[in-house]
Amino acid sequence: MSLKVYINDSEDDSEEEDDIKRKLVVNPSPSPDEESNTRQYVAIADIAGEPGDLVNEGEGNLALYEDELRQKPRISQLLTKLAIYEPVPTNPNEAATIAGVRKSNTKKKVKMGTVMGVYLPTLQNILGVILFLRMTWIVGNAGVIQSLIIILLCCCCTMLTAISMSAIATNGVVPAGGAYFMISRNLGPEFGGAVGVLFYLGTSFAVSLYVLGAIELLLKYIAPAMSLFGDVTGNPVVLYNNMRVYGTILLLLLTIIVFVGVRYVNYFATCALVCVLVAVVSIYAGILSSQTHLCVCTMDGVALKGASENFKCPKISNGKCLTPLASFDQSVNSTCSPDNYALLEAFQNTRFVYENDTLEWKSSQPECSIGIPGLSRTSTIVDNAGSHYLEEGEVHPGQKGEGLQLSAQVTSSFFILISIFFPSVTGIMAGSNRSGDLKDAQKSIPIGTIAAILSTSLIYLTCVLFFGGSVAGFALRDQFGDAIGGLMVAELAWPTKWLILIGALLSTVGAGLQSLTGAPRLLQAIARDNLIPFLKVFGYSSAQGEPTFALIMTAFVSELGVLIASVDAVAPILSMFFLMCYMFVNVACALQSLLQAPNWRPRFKYYHWTLSTAGAALCVAIMFISSWYFSLVALVIAVVIYQYIAYRGAEKEWGDGMRGLSLQAARYSLLQLEEGPLHTKNWRPQLLVLCKLHPTDLKPSQPKLLCFASQLKAGKGLTMVTSIVEGNYVSKVAEVKAAKETLKRVCDEYKIQGFCKVLAAPDITIGLAQNIQGSGLGGLVPNTVLLAWPDAWRKKRSWQTFIETVRVVMATEKALIVTKGINWFPSNNEKCRGNIDIWWVVHDGGLLMLLPFLLRQHKVWRQCHLRIFTVARILMIGMASRPLYLNSEITEMEDNSIQMKKDLKVFVYQLRIDAEVHVIEMPDCDISGYTFERTILMEERNKILTDLRMGTNKKHHSNTDSCHGSTTTQFQSTHQTTPTQSDSEDEDETTARAPLLEPTAAKPHLSAANYNIEVEQLPSSPTSQRSIHEENVRRMNTSVKLNDLIVNRSHDARLVLLNLPGPPRYLEYEENYMEFLDVLTEGLERVLMVRGGGHEVITIYS
């Protein structure tokens, strides 16, 4: 039987042929008809990595990669998927599974170019309500020079931000979310969530700004008769109340329009754009016409309230305004005449007096002044060049208004005007939000956005020059048109002011609709990223894909801004939110530029990290100089959201720049740590926890070990939790990954801040050695190993692994902490009260002192008291007559216990550790009979177990008898019970808590002479003339005596710390070493055996 594979070389396959391609046909000898009528295929890989691609038997061009193609897509299919990628899905909640592309049902979406897709929408978003309502007032207060500075600062801020945004936007596809997507994917979920919420609030308050601007235009300049609470002229309270009512109604109407359908918003946007362009052209046409008009009644260079209606001036004659002659004729009551009764009443006893039945004005009298002298009079721009900042109620700096003089309704300053003007340069993100609708987004976004900013900047700068050169200062400072009787910009328009009024109204309403459409989608994008759980409800869409819940929330937030009822009060709030957003766009670009990540390849090349840094700094500067308290509020909101997302543990991984920054910072720190040895003052235990796993469920067999590690570290320093899976790595890959995930969950449960690592090794001992040697990197190599005492070491022969691990730790010069009775250690929700006892026998760096101090930083051990015990050696009378083999090779002097206690107190005091100090005298007396008994029991048990393991009992029985001689006979009854005792001890250690031993009354004190032990009867060590029995007796004697002292004084301690003796140099002594440690810690509930790494870890110096 042979396998025939047929391939279709045609690219114009039908869908029926696609179905046939997915069939595997095995045919030993197909007929010619079958070959001609049916195409037979072998499916290799499908578009999404499923079987479906083909290998040509004739060509064999992909046969080499057959296995890979079963799991991964072919290049042609990958490119097909990229070609049909939609960056802005209509309903992201629905899973999009594309099995094929049907050309008949595919309707290509009309893509827009640079002008229609980016330039004009950005132009419309930037030109807005501030240009029509506040630009002349800003020029009148700040002057031409400072107004140019304000515009340049704001436009430079947006230009630098646009450069940064262009670099980010051309570094890949920007889906829904615009600025939020760029910031979150470049700075991480924490920053993305914080700035996304701020950007959403800014967009929502932009709706409020546009609504309030539209109502102000309507009530003040188009239809003042619509006021519900009286005349709005010169009465801000009445105006604000009307704006709240009508603003709420207009916001409700806009919300209904957006809810009905976004297509109506798009239709209205085109109309609004045309109105904006026509209005701007009409302003230029009116200014360049050089017409002198608009006479206003003034006094001391200050316009009078209601001058356009109550104090009219005659028409201009020869470029001048004529002031009506003084007369007591009733006809002058509505003119700007010095005899006007309204003026006389308003300025009575302040500006004029009657002398000899004659009216005389004390100072300047009312006069008619030209409000719009035009560009022909060069003195106008000179007069308007300087600033004219006023406090509320002033008419000139430091001069309060009198009578009907039009005083300042709000305080003005350079910083306040920046915050009011800045919203007029926002809207630069319109192009990036439309990236999915552009023919070439990576070309259109930079060109269109930068061109729009340059165009609007030119418009603003020329408007400042034209306004300052053609309008008198008193008319520019008429904020609400109370003196001139209308909107100043509208008075400049040609051919009629209604072009400005209608155009400004429609443009503000259109901008409000655009913001009310974009803000809910931004909130929906944030909610769908699931960074903030309580926003999840706003991620749902209606059946038409509209964010209904997000729209309702946006309307509510916008209503809060409408209730403020003042354009000048809402503008600074809006500025803060947008400035925060722009700042982080610049930070994202600067960060990516400095890190030079491989994925950072923007097509827009005219950027640099210095420009982005300057843009971010300028944003921060404008924030604080315009309104420091609003800046603090915005920063507090951002910090709270950032900390909340970080506290929850952001699970998103977007390859952001903060991750790259962390890697760079880690690299730099590691290199710095490599430059020199770590100083004692900076030393802290960097734990390497050796955790044993259950073979069945791969869970830690001693979870209390991890609990103790978390208590010791208290969230500080480095902790690495490691484990070994026995076997070959290739065959144990699944187990290694599962074990690692299990360790991570347990570490999270115990709040261990560190890393988990699981290795596969053919032998546990070898794996542990590799783990100890290879863990860590550079200066972050663990310096302390934490492991548990093997309770069942006699049965399972785990002592070999334990001792070998101790040797490896010593060879690597790491500190070692061995926990005994780990199952009885307290959990993290318990609180221990009592003593922590330190038995300081040997000084090996001070770790024994440091560990209790670190433990007491945790709430579990915080209420415990420290006690330090040290041992003073006392020589007894008659010790010279003891057997020679029990004497030390080095003659030692007797310790002075009184002086030791004084010195120890001073030392502990200088270490800044609060602890009781005790010096325990340990007499160097004869060895007790109990010691000999335990030693002989240990040796006999070890010999028997060794013979059983080697299967050579008969061969070694005679050697055992000759080795011990008469000693074996004297303790024969004891030896017969050895196996039973050994078994019972193992069971007790593994199943129940070790009972506390009574004092040494049960241990008879017998002399060595009773046992007739002679040196000649004992075998010799390969390297020493001393017998094995002698070494064992001496070490067992130390273990027994120290255990007596420790149990007598620390039997009720919550934790006992003591020095861990070093392991034997010869393998035949290893089981004896384990026995010595068992005897040393017998009767103690919780023990830490500590061995330093050979370096000082604690110091008395500052």
mmCIF file of all heavy atoms in Angstrom, residues 210-242:
data_model
loop_
_atom_site.group_PDB
_atom_site.id
_atom_site.type_symbol
_atom_site.label_atom_id
_atom_site.label_comp_id
_atom_site.label_asym_id
_atom_site.label_seq_id
_atom_site.Cartn_x
_atom_site.Cartn_y
_atom_site.Cartn_z
ATOM 1 N N TYR A 210 -18.317 71.981 26.834
ATOM 2 C CA TYR A 210 -18.984 72.334 25.582
ATOM 3 C C TYR A 210 -20.462 72.649 25.813
ATOM 4 O O TYR A 210 -21.020 73.561 25.179
ATOM 5 C CB TYR A 210 -18.826 71.198 24.573
ATOM 6 C CG TYR A 210 -17.398 70.976 24.156
ATOM 7 C CD1 TYR A 210 -16.824 69.708 24.174
ATOM 8 C CD2 TYR A 210 -16.599 72.039 23.739
ATOM 9 C CE1 TYR A 210 -15.508 69.498 23.793
ATOM 10 C CE2 TYR A 210 -15.283 71.839 23.366
ATOM 11 C CZ TYR A 210 -14.746 70.568 23.389
ATOM 12 O OH TYR A 210 -13.443 70.381 23.020
ATOM 13 N N VAL A 211 -21.114 71.922 26.709
ATOM 14 C CA VAL A 211 -22.521 72.196 27.000
ATOM 15 C C VAL A 211 -22.671 73.575 27.636
ATOM 16 O O VAL A 211 -23.552 74.370 27.245
ATOM 17 C CB VAL A 211 -23.096 71.095 27.913
ATOM 18 C CG1 VAL A 211 -24.457 71.506 28.466
ATOM 19 C CG2 VAL A 211 -23.220 69.786 27.154
ATOM 20 N N LEU A 212 -21.823 73.885 28.601
ATOM 21 C CA LEU A 212 -21.889 75.192 29.247
ATOM 22 C C LEU A 212 -21.569 76.313 28.258
ATOM 23 O O LEU A 212 -22.187 77.394 28.305
ATOM 24 C CB LEU A 212 -20.928 75.241 30.433
ATOM 25 C CG LEU A 212 -21.278 74.345 31.623
ATOM 26 C CD1 LEU A 212 -20.181 74.393 32.675
ATOM 27 C CD2 LEU A 212 -22.609 74.772 32.228
ATOM 28 N N GLY A 213 -20.621 76.077 27.379
ATOM 29 C CA GLY A 213 -20.315 77.090 26.367
ATOM 30 C C GLY A 213 -21.484 77.336 25.430
ATOM 31 O O GLY A 213 -21.776 78.490 25.072
ATOM 32 N N ALA A 214 -22.167 76.256 25.040
ATOM 33 C CA ALA A 214 -23.328 76.420 24.165
ATOM 34 C C ALA A 214 -24.448 77.181 24.861
ATOM 35 O O ALA A 214 -25.086 78.064 24.257
ATOM 36 C CB ALA A 214 -23.820 75.043 23.710
ATOM 37 N N ILE A 215 -24.702 76.887 26.137
ATOM 38 C CA ILE A 215 -25.755 77.593 26.869
ATOM 39 C C ILE A 215 -25.377 79.054 27.084
ATOM 40 O O ILE A 215 -26.243 79.948 27.011
ATOM 41 C CB ILE A 215 -26.025 76.880 28.208
ATOM 42 C CG1 ILE A 215 -26.511 75.454 27.956
ATOM 43 C CG2 ILE A 215 -27.040 77.651 29.031
ATOM 44 C CD1 ILE A 215 -27.756 75.351 27.128
ATOM 45 N N GLU A 216 -24.101 79.331 27.354
ATOM 46 C CA GLU A 216 -23.680 80.720 27.494
ATOM 47 C C GLU A 216 -23.888 81.494 26.198
ATOM 48 O O GLU A 216 -24.355 82.653 26.205
ATOM 49 C CB GLU A 216 -22.215 80.784 27.917
ATOM 50 C CG GLU A 216 -21.725 82.208 28.170
ATOM 51 C CD GLU A 216 -20.294 82.249 28.660
ATOM 52 O OE1 GLU A 216 -19.901 81.327 29.405
ATOM 53 O OE2 GLU A 216 -19.566 83.201 28.302
ATOM 54 N N LEU A 217 -23.563 80.904 25.079
ATOM 55 C CA LEU A 217 -23.812 81.550 23.795
ATOM 56 C C LEU A 217 -25.305 81.802 23.593
ATOM 57 O O LEU A 217 -25.713 82.871 23.109
ATOM 58 C CB LEU A 217 -23.282 80.673 22.662
ATOM 59 C CG LEU A 217 -21.776 80.691 22.421
ATOM 60 C CD1 LEU A 217 -21.378 79.548 21.488
ATOM 61 C CD2 LEU A 217 -21.354 82.030 21.819
ATOM 62 N N LEU A 218 -26.101 80.822 23.970
ATOM 63 C CA LEU A 218 -27.543 80.923 23.749
ATOM 64 C C LEU A 218 -28.164 82.017 24.618
ATOM 65 O O LEU A 218 -28.933 82.857 24.126
ATOM 66 C CB LEU A 218 -28.198 79.573 24.024
ATOM 67 C CG LEU A 218 -29.716 79.492 23.823
ATOM 68 C CD1 LEU A 218 -30.060 79.669 22.350
ATOM 69 C CD2 LEU A 218 -30.234 78.147 24.336
ATOM 70 N N LEU A 219 -27.870 82.021 25.898
ATOM 71 C CA LEU A 219 -28.530 82.943 26.830
ATOM 72 C C LEU A 219 -27.954 84.358 26.783
ATOM 73 O O LEU A 219 -28.680 85.331 26.993
ATOM 74 C CB LEU A 219 -28.434 82.393 28.254
ATOM 75 C CG LEU A 219 -29.202 81.098 28.541
ATOM 76 C CD1 LEU A 219 -28.975 80.657 29.976
ATOM 77 C CD2 LEU A 219 -30.679 81.284 28.279
ATOM 78 N N LYS A 220 -26.684 84.477 26.539
ATOM 79 C CA LYS A 220 -26.067 85.792 26.590
ATOM 80 C C LYS A 220 -26.137 86.535 25.265
ATOM 81 O O LYS A 220 -26.278 87.766 25.248
ATOM 82 C CB LYS A 220 -24.600 85.652 27.019
ATOM 83 C CG LYS A 220 -24.396 85.246 28.460
ATOM 84 C CD LYS A 220 -24.723 86.393 29.420
ATOM 85 C CE LYS A 220 -23.772 87.560 29.271
ATOM 86 N NZ LYS A 220 -24.054 88.643 30.240
ATOM 87 N N TYR A 221 -26.031 85.811 24.162
ATOM 88 C CA TYR A 221 -25.828 86.506 22.898
ATOM 89 C C TYR A 221 -26.870 86.176 21.830
ATOM 90 O O TYR A 221 -27.019 86.946 20.881
ATOM 91 C CB TYR A 221 -24.437 86.151 22.341
ATOM 92 C CG TYR A 221 -23.342 86.317 23.369
ATOM 93 C CD1 TYR A 221 -22.619 85.218 23.830
ATOM 94 C CD2 TYR A 221 -23.048 87.557 23.889
ATOM 95 C CE1 TYR A 221 -21.618 85.365 24.773
ATOM 96 C CE2 TYR A 221 -22.046 87.722 24.835
ATOM 97 C CZ TYR A 221 -21.332 86.616 25.276
ATOM 98 O OH TYR A 221 -20.355 86.774 26.218
ATOM 99 N N ILE A 222 -27.574 85.065 21.962
ATOM 100 C CA ILE A 222 -28.538 84.705 20.928
ATOM 101 C C ILE A 222 -29.961 84.958 21.394
ATOM 102 O O ILE A 222 -30.743 85.640 20.707
ATOM 103 C CB ILE A 222 -28.348 83.225 20.518
ATOM 104 C CG1 ILE A 222 -26.958 83.018 19.904
ATOM 105 C CG2 ILE A 222 -29.431 82.811 19.514
ATOM 106 C CD1 ILE A 222 -26.661 81.588 19.510
ATOM 107 N N ALA A 223 -30.342 84.408 22.549
ATOM 108 C CA ALA A 223 -31.728 84.536 23.020
ATOM 109 C C ALA A 223 -31.746 84.827 24.521
ATOM 110 O O ALA A 223 -32.073 83.948 25.324
ATOM 111 C CB ALA A 223 -32.518 83.269 22.703
ATOM 112 N N PRO A 224 -31.381 86.059 24.923
ATOM 113 C CA PRO A 224 -31.403 86.390 26.357
ATOM 114 C C PRO A 224 -32.803 86.291 26.963
ATOM 115 O O PRO A 224 -32.934 86.097 28.180
ATOM 116 C CB PRO A 224 -30.896 87.846 26.391
ATOM 117 C CG PRO A 224 -30.176 88.027 25.091
ATOM 118 C CD PRO A 224 -30.903 87.173 24.105
ATOM 119 N N ALA A 225 -33.821 86.398 26.163
ATOM 120 C CA ALA A 225 -35.190 86.349 26.693
ATOM 121 C C ALA A 225 -35.551 84.971 27.222
ATOM 122 O O ALA A 225 -36.559 84.820 27.929
ATOM 123 C CB ALA A 225 -36.174 86.763 25.608
ATOM 124 N N MET A 226 -34.746 83.967 26.935
ATOM 125 C CA MET A 226 -35.038 82.615 27.419
ATOM 126 C C MET A 226 -34.674 82.431 28.886
ATOM 127 O O MET A 226 -34.908 81.356 29.445
ATOM 128 C CB MET A 226 -34.276 81.586 26.588
ATOM 129 C CG MET A 226 -34.735 81.482 25.145
ATOM 130 S SD MET A 226 -33.784 80.255 24.201
ATOM 131 C CE MET A 226 -34.147 78.763 25.138
ATOM 132 N N SER A 227 -34.117 83.436 29.515
ATOM 133 C CA SER A 227 -33.708 83.318 30.919
ATOM 134 C C SER A 227 -34.911 83.025 31.801
ATOM 135 O O SER A 227 -35.976 83.642 31.663
ATOM 136 C CB SER A 227 -33.017 84.610 31.367
ATOM 137 O OG SER A 227 -32.730 84.554 32.739
ATOM 138 N N LEU A 228 -34.763 82.101 32.705
ATOM 139 C CA LEU A 228 -35.839 81.701 33.614
ATOM 140 C C LEU A 228 -35.813 82.466 34.930
ATOM 141 O O LEU A 228 -36.803 82.435 35.669
ATOM 142 C CB LEU A 228 -35.735 80.203 33.903
ATOM 143 C CG LEU A 228 -35.827 79.254 32.693
ATOM 144 C CD1 LEU A 228 -35.596 77.819 33.148
ATOM 145 C CD2 LEU A 228 -37.168 79.396 31.992
ATOM 146 N N PHE A 229 -34.711 83.127 35.231
ATOM 147 C CA PHE A 229 -34.559 83.737 36.556
ATOM 148 C C PHE A 229 -34.216 85.226 36.460
ATOM 149 O O PHE A 229 -33.572 85.773 37.333
ATOM 150 C CB PHE A 229 -33.457 83.019 37.335
ATOM 151 C CG PHE A 229 -33.676 81.536 37.436
ATOM 152 C CD1 PHE A 229 -32.982 80.672 36.604
ATOM 153 C CD2 PHE A 229 -34.601 81.022 38.324
ATOM 154 C CE1 PHE A 229 -33.181 79.307 36.684
ATOM 155 C CE2 PHE A 229 -34.802 79.653 38.398
ATOM 156 C CZ PHE A 229 -34.097 78.780 37.586
ATOM 157 N N GLY A 230 -34.634 85.894 35.407
ATOM 158 C CA GLY A 230 -34.384 87.317 35.290
ATOM 159 C C GLY A 230 -33.302 87.619 34.281
ATOM 160 O O GLY A 230 -32.817 86.751 33.551
ATOM 161 N N ASP A 231 -32.933 88.912 34.265
ATOM 162 C CA ASP A 231 -31.949 89.382 33.306
ATOM 163 C C ASP A 231 -30.571 88.824 33.660
ATOM 164 O O ASP A 231 -30.119 88.918 34.806
ATOM 165 C CB ASP A 231 -31.919 90.913 33.307
ATOM 166 C CG ASP A 231 -31.041 91.460 32.185
ATOM 167 O OD1 ASP A 231 -30.654 90.664 31.309
ATOM 168 O OD2 ASP A 231 -30.742 92.669 32.226
ATOM 169 N N VAL A 232 -29.898 88.268 32.666
ATOM 170 C CA VAL A 232 -28.580 87.674 32.902
ATOM 171 C C VAL A 232 -27.459 88.689 32.732
ATOM 172 O O VAL A 232 -26.310 88.393 33.065
ATOM 173 C CB VAL A 232 -28.344 86.489 31.933
ATOM 174 C CG1 VAL A 232 -29.361 85.391 32.182
ATOM 175 C CG2 VAL A 232 -28.394 86.956 30.489
ATOM 176 N N THR A 233 -27.766 89.867 32.233
ATOM 177 C CA THR A 233 -26.733 90.868 31.988
ATOM 178 C C THR A 233 -26.222 91.429 33.310
ATOM 179 O O THR A 233 -26.990 91.971 34.109
ATOM 180 C CB THR A 233 -27.280 92.015 31.119
ATOM 181 O OG1 THR A 233 -27.782 91.481 29.898
ATOM 182 C CG2 THR A 233 -26.189 93.029 30.833
ATOM 183 N N GLY A 234 -24.928 91.266 33.531
ATOM 184 C CA GLY A 234 -24.310 91.810 34.736
ATOM 185 C C GLY A 234 -24.690 91.086 36.005
ATOM 186 O O GLY A 234 -24.413 91.581 37.104
ATOM 187 N N ASN A 235 -25.318 89.933 35.914
ATOM 188 C CA ASN A 235 -25.740 89.195 37.106
ATOM 189 C C ASN A 235 -25.292 87.743 36.956
ATOM 190 O O ASN A 235 -26.026 86.911 36.411
ATOM 191 C CB ASN A 235 -27.259 89.276 37.260
ATOM 192 C CG ASN A 235 -27.715 88.829 38.642
ATOM 193 O OD1 ASN A 235 -27.001 88.116 39.349
ATOM 194 N ND2 ASN A 235 -28.915 89.254 39.038
ATOM 195 N N PRO A 236 -24.065 87.399 37.425
ATOM 196 C CA PRO A 236 -23.546 86.033 37.238
ATOM 197 C C PRO A 236 -24.397 84.963 37.912
ATOM 198 O O PRO A 236 -24.508 83.847 37.403
ATOM 199 C CB PRO A 236 -22.139 86.105 37.868
ATOM 200 C CG PRO A 236 -21.800 87.555 37.887
ATOM 201 C CD PRO A 236 -23.093 88.276 38.078
ATOM 202 N N VAL A 237 -24.998 85.269 39.062
ATOM 203 C CA VAL A 237 -25.785 84.260 39.768
ATOM 204 C C VAL A 237 -26.970 83.819 38.926
ATOM 205 O O VAL A 237 -27.273 82.617 38.804
ATOM 206 C CB VAL A 237 -26.249 84.807 41.129
ATOM 207 C CG1 VAL A 237 -27.145 83.784 41.834
ATOM 208 C CG2 VAL A 237 -25.064 85.161 42.004
ATOM 209 N N VAL A 238 -27.660 84.789 38.318
ATOM 210 C CA VAL A 238 -28.793 84.452 37.460
ATOM 211 C C VAL A 238 -28.327 83.643 36.255
ATOM 212 O O VAL A 238 -28.976 82.665 35.846
ATOM 213 C CB VAL A 238 -29.509 85.745 37.011
ATOM 214 C CG1 VAL A 238 -30.613 85.417 36.006
ATOM 215 C CG2 VAL A 238 -30.097 86.471 38.215
ATOM 216 N N LEU A 239 -27.182 84.053 35.691
ATOM 217 C CA LEU A 239 -26.643 83.326 34.544
ATOM 218 C C LEU A 239 -26.314 81.885 34.898
ATOM 219 O O LEU A 239 -26.641 80.946 34.154
ATOM 220 C CB LEU A 239 -25.398 84.041 34.028
ATOM 221 C CG LEU A 239 -24.662 83.347 32.871
ATOM 222 C CD1 LEU A 239 -25.549 83.245 31.637
ATOM 223 C CD2 LEU A 239 -23.368 84.077 32.560
ATOM 224 N N TYR A 240 -25.672 81.671 36.060
ATOM 225 C CA TYR A 240 -25.263 80.320 36.453
ATOM 226 C C TYR A 240 -26.476 79.431 36.719
ATOM 227 O O TYR A 240 -26.475 78.239 36.364
ATOM 228 C CB TYR A 240 -24.376 80.379 37.685
ATOM 229 C CG TYR A 240 -23.043 81.046 37.427
ATOM 230 C CD1 TYR A 240 -22.314 81.621 38.476
ATOM 231 C CD2 TYR A 240 -22.507 81.119 36.152
ATOM 232 C CE1 TYR A 240 -21.100 82.227 38.252
ATOM 233 C CE2 TYR A 240 -21.287 81.734 35.924
ATOM 234 C CZ TYR A 240 -20.584 82.286 36.973
ATOM 235 O OH TYR A 240 -19.385 82.908 36.735
ATOM 236 N N ASN A 241 -27.516 79.964 37.324
ATOM 237 C CA ASN A 241 -28.711 79.161 37.568
ATOM 238 C C ASN A 241 -29.379 78.750 36.259
ATOM 239 O O ASN A 241 -29.845 77.617 36.100
ATOM 240 C CB ASN A 241 -29.696 79.938 38.437
ATOM 241 C CG ASN A 241 -29.210 80.069 39.874
ATOM 242 O OD1 ASN A 241 -28.476 79.207 40.357
ATOM 243 N ND2 ASN A 241 -29.611 81.141 40.543
ATOM 244 N N ASN A 242 -29.433 79.672 35.303
ATOM 245 C CA ASN A 242 -29.985 79.331 33.997
ATOM 246 C C ASN A 242 -29.133 78.283 33.289
ATOM 247 O O ASN A 242 -29.664 77.377 32.633
ATOM 248 C CB ASN A 242 -30.085 80.585 33.127
ATOM 249 C CG ASN A 242 -31.316 81.405 33.436
ATOM 250 O OD1 ASN A 242 -32.412 81.121 32.967
ATOM 251 N ND2 ASN A 242 -31.136 82.428 34.266
#
